[in-house]
Amino acid sequence: MKHAAERFGALARGRLMYGDAMKELMLRFRLTPIYDETIREALMEHSDFDGVKGIFKEISEGKIDLRFFRSKDKPTPLAYHILYRHVDIPELIAPENVATDNMTRLRISIEGRSIDMLCFDCGKLTRDASIASLPDHPFCQDCSSKLLAPLFWSSAYATNILHKKQDKQSLDENEQKALTRARRSADLVIAYGRRAIIAQSVYGIGPQTAARVLSKMHESDDEFYRDLLEAKLQFIATRPFWNN
Ligand SMILES: [Zn+2]
């Protein structure tokens, strides 16, 4: 479908596309000639009906032996693409190759993001730092401190609280909570550097889960991202409904 859409000029050529985006194409282009052309090509050029007939014939004649395989934990890669529409969190049943795809997607989406970082030493807020270009151990551009809290929303709010605290003003309960949470985030960044920022930018991963994942000190980025994806899915699968 992607290639047909590219040839029709409906999609820019060579754009990277993963799992769900590819599956959406079918919906986006249904009832268009792009859809018809895709089906035509699949049937005319990519299907080998004579070959299939031959295989069926040999099976019925007993020349090809049939073995049944039942996958207990996860659907096979072939079955997954049929079943995924009917489950709430398809990632949980994804076979290995699809899981790798999800991991790559998570990685690309995180590295493409930018965040605000608040220095707990001097109170300087750095805005819109791109995660992909952060050094392994990010530091404050004003005072070189590595005690940086990554902030993903309302960074002005957190900055304000920190300044109040530094001015020895009293904080209310919510402000104290927000500050404690940001401080715990910063503690992880000073200990684990850029990976602590990456971990905490994943949906559903707060300082506590991030600390658990980071303490494994993964040798490779792949293992690190695999654990992040698992933690994210765990969160989605177990979150209470009212927490949506
Ligand atoms: Zn600073």
Side-chain angles (χ1 to χ4, degrees):
M1 175 82 59
K2 178 170 178 278
H3 297 295
E6 284 177 352
R7 263 181 283 121
F8 273 74
L11 275 183
R13 268 178 204 274
R15 221 178 89 190
L16 279 180
M17 236 181 224
Y18 295 92
D20 290 343
M22 289 285 253
K23 286 169 197 151
E24 266 169 31
L25 292 182
M26 205 170 70
L27 287 174
R28 271 175 64 191
F29 293 122
R30 92 203 139 104
L31 306 177
T32 70
I34 296 172
Y35 187 93
D36 296 341
E37 171 61 13
T38 306
I39 299 297
R40 190 198 66 80
E41 261 176 46
L43 294 178
M44 302 293 294
E45 293 170 27
H46 302 298
S47 306
D48 178 6
F49 292 113
D50 289 338
V52 172
K53 271 188 210 157
I55 290 174
F56 280 168
K57 189 158 172 282
E58 287 189 29
I59 292 173
S60 69
E61 288 167 356
K63 285 182 192 157
I64 292 181
D65 185 21
L66 267 190
R67 302 258 172 102
F68 288 94
F69 170 74
R70 281 208 170 82
S71 174
K72 281 185 188 146
D73 300 332
K74 288 179 174 183
T76 60
L78 211 58
Y80 171 76
H81 292 284
I82 300 166
L83 293 176
Y84 85 97
R85 290 166 196 281
H86 306 290
V87 293
D88 285 338
I89 306 162
E91 287 97 333
L92 287 180
I93 60 157
E96 199 58 31
N97 62 328
V98 181
T100 309
D101 205 46
N102 285 333
M103 202 175 76
T104 312
R105 226 163 48 197
L106 177 70
R107 186 173 180 161
I108 290 175
S109 94
I110 291 178
E111 296 198 336
R113 242 175 261 173
S114 44
I115 46 144
D116 295 348
M117 290 185 299
L118 176 61
C119 173
F120 260 72
D121 275 317
C122 73
K124 154 127 179 140
L125 178 69
T126 306
R127 285 191 182 273
D128 285 330
S130 131
I131 292 187
S133 59
L134 288 176
D136 281 347
H137 287 275
F139 53 89
C140 171
Q141 270 152 5
D142 275 13
C143 74
S144 302
S145 165
K146 290 176 179 161
L147 194 56
L148 298 172
L151 300 169
F152 304 97
W153 53 278
S154 66
S155 47
Y157 174 67
T159 308
N160 236 334
I161 303 172
L162 180 64
H163 292 170
K164 270 174 90 172
K165 170 91 175 166
Q166 286 171 336
D167 292 342
K168 309 230 184 304
Q169 296 179 35
S170 63
L171 306 178
D172 69 28
E173 198 185 328
N174 286 333
E175 290 175 329
Q176 190 57 53
K177 261 190 202 158
L179 194 66
T180 304
R181 190 184 163 91
R183 170 65 204 222
R184 279 164 71 203
S185 290
D187 285 339
L188 290 174
V189 174
I190 207 170
Y192 297 103
R194 179 170 173 257
R195 275 192 178 176
I197 295 175
I198 292 175
Q200 297 183 85
S201 71
V202 176
Y203 174 65
I205 299 189
Q208 200 179 341
T209 309
R212 180 175 58 75
V213 172
L214 289 161
S215 66
K216 289 194 188 170
M217 300 193 295
H218 307 84
E219 296 276 327
S220 76
D221 279 351
D222 274 3
E223 288 169 36
F224 174 56
Y225 277 97
R226 188 167 299 131
D227 277 354
L228 290 182
L229 185 63
E230 209 182 287
K232 175 184 169 181
L233 296 177
Q234 191 74 35
F235 172 79
I236 296 175
T238 56
R239 74 184 155 182
F241 289 111
W242 54 85
N243 211 6
N244 275 337

